[in-house]
Amino acid sequence: MDIDVERQHAARLALLDPLLPADPPLSGDLIDTVGALGAPAFQEVDSEALDATWGPLRRHTLTVRLAGADLGPLLDRWEEHLAKVVTPGDDDCAAQISWPSRDTSAVLALVRHGFAPLVTTAVRRAGSFGPAPTVPGLIIRHATKADLAACVALDLEVVRYDSQFGALTERPSTESGLRRNMAEMIDREQPCIWLAEVSDRPVGIVTVDLPPHSDWIAGRTSAAPAAYLGLGGVRSDTRGAGIGSALVSHVHRELDAAGIAVTLLHYCVANPRSVPFWSLHGYRPLWTSWNRRPAIRA
């Protein structure tokens, strides 16, 4: 392992974005070129698991350390590796690289190798607020067990809308997986699901993983404690009325009062609603997931 590359990579990113974490040293079977290191990995997801909804079933990833060099040669080396292990044209297989959003040095190399920015991990610091409109008749409250069916329906509507942007895949097991996940969240000791109601009808939802349930993603930022906003959406027939903004602003005030330093979330880069909405409410890109699906075309 080239320790100097690791150090230069860490120093470069620390200057670019103070909210990025200190990356651990790479391990395993590495590939390298001048000024660059990469750790390839593979994960195959059970098609019945809820995780199968959040991406392809077969995921080839490359974790990179770059010391100001051209990323292109390292991607070439990874291409050689993928050619040996990937079935060409497999649409449920993707090559993925998670890249610090403010590090623009690798963008051209990624584009020239056929990668596209697909998902952003965005971050909001405590105290950042967007608009909080007053919506006549709107009630915001925590979900209870009696709301399970309504929560699943709102969740499924968001999944179906986001599936058209290529990051999510609704599968036969998706609805049942969402129901299990939502039931588990409702049962948590600390309330973590907020519903927006108009005329006793649930029209919007936000869910948040609070510590320690957010530990799985907390390492993606240097700030702590971190929460993860996993779901935010309103019914399609109520969009544009300010319900989403009122709901999110309410949730942010509760998170700030609870001492949460930063909140993370994911949105699809191509989603014309998510990008402006979350930016307006204080989120900015921290990581960008660059994807190529299928990993190798037939």
Side-chain angles (χ1 to χ4, degrees):
M1 182 190 303
D2 192 331
I3 301 299
D4 192 48
V5 169
E6 298 259 15
R7 289 173 178 166
Q8 290 183 50
H9 172 87
R12 206 167 51 79
L13 295 191
L15 291 174
L16 286 171
D17 193 336
L19 286 181
L20 289 172
D23 289 322
L26 294 182
S27 60
D29 295 327
L30 305 182
I31 55 178
D32 67 286
T33 57
V34 176
L37 288 172
F42 173 69
Q43 178 190 19
E44 184 154 15
V45 179
D46 182 351
S47 62
E48 297 299 311
L50 182 56
D51 190 26
T53 298
W54 312 136
L57 296 182
R58 288 166 287 282
R59 305 167 189 180
H60 292 268
T61 60
L62 184 68
T63 303
V64 176
R65 303 289 183 262
L66 193 65
D70 178 8
L71 182 61
L74 189 69
L75 293 178
D76 291 338
R77 291 285 309 277
W78 192 34
E79 298 273 8
E80 296 171 3
H81 166 75
L82 292 175
K84 300 174 183 177
V85 296
V86 169
T87 301
D90 179 0
D91 192 54
D92 230 334
C93 176
Q96 305 171 325
I97 297 179
S98 184
W99 198 258
S101 299
R102 289 185 173 179
D103 186 4
T104 57
S105 63
V107 169
L108 281 178
L110 288 163
V111 171
R112 288 169 176 166
H113 283 75
F115 288 84
L118 186 62
V119 174
T120 291
T121 305
V123 61
R124 167 197 172 265
R125 287 184 182 271
S128 299
F129 289 96
T134 299
V135 181
L138 178 67
I139 295 174
I140 297 173
R141 62 175 178 82
H142 291 123
T144 68
K145 290 183 179 180
D147 299 307
L148 179 59
C151 291
V152 173
L154 288 164
D155 199 351
L156 192 58
E157 182 170 347
V158 172
V159 168
R160 286 173 175 166
Y161 182 79
D162 275 356
S163 291
Q164 64 188 313
F165 305 114
L168 276 63
T169 304
E170 184 183 0
R171 301 186 187 275
S173 60
T174 293
E175 186 171 359
S176 61
L178 294 178
R179 183 175 294 106
R180 288 192 300 272
N181 182 65
M182 204 61 78
E184 184 274 326
M185 294 189 79
I186 289 174
D187 281 342
R188 289 179 188 175
E189 182 177 351
Q190 194 168 2
C192 58
I193 303 175
W194 290 259
L195 286 176
E197 281 187 342
V198 176
S199 300
D200 295 324
R201 177 194 183 204
V203 294
I205 187 170
V206 166
T207 70
V208 178
D209 280 338
L210 297 163
H213 297 283
S214 57
D215 288 352
W216 65 275
I217 197 170
R220 299 298 277 168
T221 179
S222 62
Y228 176 72
L229 197 157
L231 171 66
V234 298
R235 289 179 59 97
S236 60
D237 58 353
T238 63
R239 289 178 186 149
I243 293 170
S245 287
L247 177 57
V248 167
S249 294
H250 178 97
V251 172
H252 284 164
R253 287 194 296 272
E254 287 201 27
L255 295 179
D256 285 8
I260 297 298
V262 293
T263 305
L264 302 168
L265 58 77
H266 291 112
Y267 60 71
C268 295
V269 174
N271 188 327
R273 298 183 184 275
S274 290
V275 178
F277 179 86
W278 294 116
S279 298
L280 191 63
H281 285 276
Y283 290 84
R284 57 92 167 168
L286 184 65
W287 297 90
T288 301
S289 177
W290 290 78
N291 284 241
R292 193 175 65 199
R293 181 174 177 181
I296 296 180
R297 293 195 175 278

